[in-house]
Amino acid sequence: MDPARARASEKASRKRRISDEVKKLSLADGVLSIGKYNSPFPFPVWREMLDVINPVSNFLFFLPVSVTLDVETANPQLEVSEDLKSLRWTRTPRSLPDTRKRFTHWLCVLGSEGFTSGRHYWEVEVTGNRRWSLGVAAESVERKDRVRLSPETGFWTIGRVVDQFYINSSPRSRLRVGQIPGKVGVYLSYESGTVSFYNVDTKSHLHTFTGNKFTEKLYPFFRTGDGNQFLRICSGSDPDRERGGASGW
């Protein structure tokens, strides 16, 4: 077989394999299957998948985004890395301007970029961290006083406290995770009103918030109360970057 024909055959074979993977992803009300799934695919494959998916199908395509942390929202006790990808609790508050953007009660920080439309995906490494919450938060959330982290107050998150995992709802409910995740994938579909979480290591669904009607800008949300371990954003355009260093529960 000549080289050109061999390349064409290899490309066709790859597309068939991707198409087979797509068919294994079942959808319910615009949400990825709550069982096992064969994604997230490597980032370049997401693009190629568009060539083999029928444009009128209900397949939910999420755009991987390169999330960075907004230091102006970070609680003064949080240490944010110079590359704006990692954070940890220092237990020692820094002297920072108490602007309207900054969280002063919860040990949390928002992503720099918010979303008012579209489908977006990012991953966070949580290995070893025993106190964290992840998800999305509305732009108008309370940042100065203690409020329950729940959809009613503008937070769609799940979290871990020592050996227990929770859905941060009202009331808070236990979350069964099976294998403890080392990485958590967060999916936001603005128009369908869903926020989904996956254990990246086992490629399994953790939880989905459904039935929401988003009306304002939503930001990636990160909260940590473990002074020994960083949370690290590990999705984006350069997934091989090093673990970040410095720059409450």
Side-chain angles (χ1 to χ4, degrees):
M1 183 181 296
D2 64 79
R5 185 173 298 179
R7 287 194 298 271
S9 176
E10 181 180 354
K11 183 177 181 180
S13 176
R14 184 179 182 187
K15 285 189 175 182
R16 283 195 299 271
R17 289 197 301 271
I18 294 174
S19 182
D20 290 341
E21 293 297 317
V22 171
K23 290 176 182 177
K24 295 177 185 178
L25 293 171
S26 60
L27 298 178
D29 192 28
V31 182
L32 288 174
S33 168
I34 62 172
K36 284 276 189 174
Y37 74 115
N38 293 305
S39 189
F41 299 103
F43 292 137
V45 179
W46 282 106
R47 294 294 185 185
E48 186 172 347
M49 286 172 64
L50 290 180
D51 295 333
V52 298
I53 297 169
N54 186 329
V56 299
S57 72
N58 336 346
F59 179 77
L60 189 57
F61 176 73
F62 290 88
L63 177 65
V65 290
S66 182
V67 174
T68 56
L69 301 171
D70 182 354
V71 293
E72 293 185 8
T73 69
N75 183 288
Q77 294 186 50
L78 290 181
E79 178 182 30
V80 177
S81 63
E82 290 185 5
D83 65 358
L84 306 179
K85 294 289 187 178
S86 304
L87 70 150
R88 74 179 178 91
W89 180 33
T90 65
R91 296 186 172 90
T92 303
R94 293 171 296 160
S95 177
L96 297 172
D98 185 12
T99 66
R100 63 178 182 82
K101 293 181 63 176
R102 191 175 307 284
F103 288 90
T104 54
H105 176 78
W106 294 118
L107 297 169
C108 59
V109 60
L110 300 181
S112 295
E113 182 181 1
F115 309 108
T116 55
S117 64
R119 303 173 181 124
H120 310 278
Y121 166 70
W122 59 95
E123 293 176 2
V124 184
E125 184 175 337
V126 296
T127 302
N129 193 305
R130 292 164 61 84
R131 290 180 179 269
W132 53 261
S133 290
L134 300 172
V136 300
E139 186 172 32
S140 65
V141 293
E142 174 60 53
R143 306 188 186 208
K144 303 304 178 184
D145 296 324
R146 183 185 182 91
V147 295
R148 182 183 294 276
L149 299 185
S150 70
E152 289 77 14
T153 57
F155 298 90
W156 291 265
T157 67
I158 64 170
R160 177 181 184 179
V161 180
V162 191
D163 293 325
Q164 303 297 329
F165 292 81
Y166 295 93
I167 301 165
N168 292 320
S169 54
S170 184
R172 188 169 71 171
S173 57
R174 289 277 298 275
L175 175 64
R176 298 186 181 278
V177 302
Q179 180 178 315
I180 294 176
K183 289 182 183 178
V184 175
V186 183
Y187 290 83
L188 166 65
S189 178
Y190 195 96
E191 283 78 9
S192 67
T194 60
V195 182
S196 298
F197 302 87
Y198 287 83
N199 183 334
V200 175
D201 305 310
T202 60
K203 299 183 172 62
S204 57
H205 175 266
L206 294 173
H207 178 69
T208 295
F209 290 100
T210 62
N212 304 286
K213 184 174 177 58
F214 299 134
T215 59
E216 61 179 293
K217 186 173 288 188
L218 300 178
Y219 289 86
F221 174 88
F222 309 86
R223 176 186 176 207
T224 182
D226 191 331
N228 299 314
Q229 298 290 335
F230 278 92
L231 291 183
R232 183 172 69 95
I233 302 166
C234 48
S235 61
S237 57
D238 55 339
D240 295 327
R241 58 185 161 270
E242 297 291 325
R243 182 184 300 272
S247 116
W249 203 254

